Amino acid sequence: MKVLVLNSGSSSVKYELWETSPEAIAANSDTLIKRGNVERVDDIDQALHTVFDDLGALSVDAVGHRIVHGGAKYTASVLVDAQVEKDIEDLGELAPLHNPHNLAGVRAAQRRLPSARHVAVFDTAFHHTLPQIAYAYGLPFEYLTERKIRRYGFHGISHRYVSWKFAELHGKSREQYRLITCHLGNGCSVCAIEYGKSIDTSMGFTPLEGLLMGTRAGDVDAGAILHLITQDRQSPLEVLKMLNSESGLKGLSGVSNDMRDVQKHAAAGEPRSQLSVDMFCYRVRKYIGAYLAAMDGADALIFTGGIGENSPEIRAQICSKTASLGISLDAAANTAKSGEPRQIGHGRVPVWVVPTQEELLIARDTLRCILNIPHE
Ligand code: ADP
């Protein structure tokens, strides 16, 4: 089956066309036929027009859509129907920066390919197993039950993929391990996966909580935000924009949201860039420590995402002062260049790099939903 995977965001539509089948999944031989990125989306129909121009004569049997927020309702990928569309629309209230664009992508793709099956794959779904102690905030209980103010967690597609891949490489299943997965890209999150289930993750009600990211602040005292609104008279929208788009590596360093640029400036002695790199690594290390405590240990620590896969310096800094936790890197393995999954630390908690393949997982889930076969 040829599955078009669409990631419809606010500024771009990323796509990949995969050929997959139950046999290909079993043999790990799914093939990527084409991939591309259409920048600056003003009109989603126009963007999809460009995607299909790129695809030329290639046929598409089904479409898998990356949807950021599936709320508490969507615990797995689903075939899109009118109810699913309505739910994604309603959840736009919780994810105003993402879900409306994702849904516009679904609708435009349906207009373009009315006879194809469309599947929604949610970034939140993998975290549906979070226990209440991890997903509740310390607000009055009605805020949880009535207002749905809770941790949802994001990047679930990536955490799910790398935990599956790690287990598969060992000829085992995810259910046999306690894993800490660090997705470090433009957005960053850490996940504690206890015997197959996500039991805690650093992103919360929105993808803003937790680690320092490219342009997002991560953890900030809610009181500081309220101070800006009540005392400094900044508008809530201004503050939202600042927290999402002008903070993180970009805002702290004043240089860039791109880790490579910030590292270059830090190496040249620029103190704000150095602070940004140090804070980035420190926060990841704190979350690793927290999740070791949450699971009473771990059987592996896994790095993924653009930074996690490609920066030996950042991995080394995160895994410094962690010897007592059983985490130590093998310097040669850490710096060796490779695009393959690989072990880079041989301490009590083995450390791995596992490149993520979110689009592949979306393509596979799309096939599984259509054929009604179980998801891994
Ligand atoms: P997204 O979250 O948008 O999918 P990626 O996972 O591609 O993003 O991660 C993008 C980040 O990865 C950027 O900050 C980029 O600087 C960083 N990155 C990519 N390659 C390297 C590298 N060799 N060293 C350090 N950072 C890198």
Side-chain angles (χ1 to χ4, degrees):
M1 183 182 287
K2 286 202 183 59
V3 180
L4 177 65
V5 176
L6 283 182
N7 184 352
S8 309
S10 58
S11 61
S12 70
V13 173
K14 290 186 195 154
Y15 73 88
E16 290 192 3
L17 183 65
W18 282 86
E19 171 84 54
T20 185
S21 64
E23 299 72 33
I25 294 177
N28 239 324
S29 61
D30 329 56
T31 38
L32 175 62
I33 301 170
K34 203 168 171 63
R35 65 168 11 139
N37 191 358
V38 180
E39 293 292 347
R40 274 191 288 279
V41 179
D42 296 319
D43 172 357
I44 184 74
D45 289 293
Q46 184 57 43
L48 279 197
H49 192 77
T50 311
V51 170
F52 281 91
D53 272 357
D54 284 0
L55 292 177
L58 292 167
S59 63
V60 172
D61 303 311
V63 188
H65 298 270
R66 180 180 188 156
I67 308 292
V68 166
H69 216 310
K73 176 169 178 180
Y74 290 99
T75 60
S77 306
V78 289
L79 283 167
V80 175
D81 60 17
Q83 184 63 49
V84 173
E85 274 184 55
K86 182 175 182 310
D87 289 336
I88 297 172
E89 185 161 26
D90 293 346
L91 286 161
E93 225 174 90
L94 300 182
L97 304 175
H98 300 284
N99 270 36
H101 300 290
N102 300 159
L103 181 61
V106 172
R107 289 184 167 150
Q110 286 172 329
R111 284 192 287 276
R112 184 82 201 201
L113 292 174
S115 57
R117 310 293 288 276
H118 294 256
V119 170
V121 181
F122 300 94
D123 257 317
T124 45
F126 184 59
H127 303 298
H128 80 274
T129 47
L130 254 57
Q132 203 171 39
I133 51 162
Y135 72 66
Y137 290 116
L139 304 173
F141 199 65
E142 311 76 69
Y143 283 73
L144 172 63
T145 50
E146 281 154 38
R147 314 283 306 271
K148 313 286 182 233
I149 306 292
R150 49 160 286 179
R151 176 182 313 286
Y152 290 100
F154 298 88
H155 282 152
I157 300 165
S158 181
H159 293 297
R160 182 177 145 212
Y161 176 80
V162 297
S163 57
W164 167 80
K165 185 73 191 173
F166 173 84
E168 194 233 20
L169 288 167
H170 291 80
K172 296 201 171 158
S173 75
R174 192 195 283 125
E175 283 68 28
Q176 290 165 282
Y177 296 102
R178 292 164 304 168
L179 303 172
I180 299 176
T181 50
C182 305
H183 179 104
L184 310 178
N186 271 315
C188 301
S189 67
V190 185
C191 184
I193 306 171
E194 187 171 49
Y195 303 121
K197 290 182 176 158
S198 168
I199 59 129
D200 209 346
T201 190
S202 58
M203 284 177 168
F205 179 70
T206 71
L208 191 51
E209 194 178 346
L211 302 176
L212 192 73
M213 314 186 205
T215 59
R216 280 173 253 168
D219 293 331
V220 184
D221 180 358
I225 308 307
L226 290 169
H227 173 88
L228 293 176
I229 294 169
T230 57
Q231 302 299 311
D232 281 10
R233 305 267 169 216
Q234 291 194 25
S235 79
L237 267 181
E238 263 179 298
V239 175
L240 183 71
K241 186 163 172 272
M242 179 273 286
L243 289 168
N244 272 297
S245 319
E246 290 154 22
S247 298
L249 294 176
K250 182 182 172 196
L252 268 175
S253 70
V255 167
S256 166
N257 64 319
D258 189 310
M259 181 56 98
R260 285 164 293 197
D261 296 337
V262 181
Q263 284 178 299
K264 260 185 233 142
H265 282 75
E270 219 295 313
R272 280 174 55 180
S273 291
Q274 189 63 55
L275 173 67
S276 310
V277 171
D278 292 347
M279 271 180 65
F280 182 92
C281 296
Y282 179 63
R283 280 220 193 154
V284 179
R285 187 146 55 87
K286 281 209 300 188
Y287 271 96
I288 292 171
Y291 293 165
L292 284 169
M295 297 192 288
D296 191 18
D299 302 309
L301 169 66
I302 300 171
F303 286 103
T304 195
I307 300 172
E309 292 168 29
N310 298 305
S311 180
E313 300 86 10
I314 297 291
R315 292 193 300 256
Q317 192 170 338
I318 292 168
C319 298
S320 63
K321 295 215 290 187
T322 50
S324 74
L325 302 175
I327 296 169
S328 56
L329 293 190
D330 169 344
N334 183 40
T335 47
K337 281 210 164 22
S338 166
E340 294 299 312
R342 57 200 182 273
Q343 186 167 1
I344 59 167
H346 295 80
R348 194 170 71 245
V349 180
V351 186
W352 279 69
V353 174
V354 178
T356 196
Q357 285 199 285
E358 292 162 285
E359 287 76 13
L360 171 60
L361 184 54
I362 295 171
R364 288 178 171 184
D365 267 16
T366 302
L367 176 89
R368 290 172 182 131
C369 282
I370 291 169
L371 300 183
N372 199 17
I373 51 179
H375 297 192
E376 106 297 314

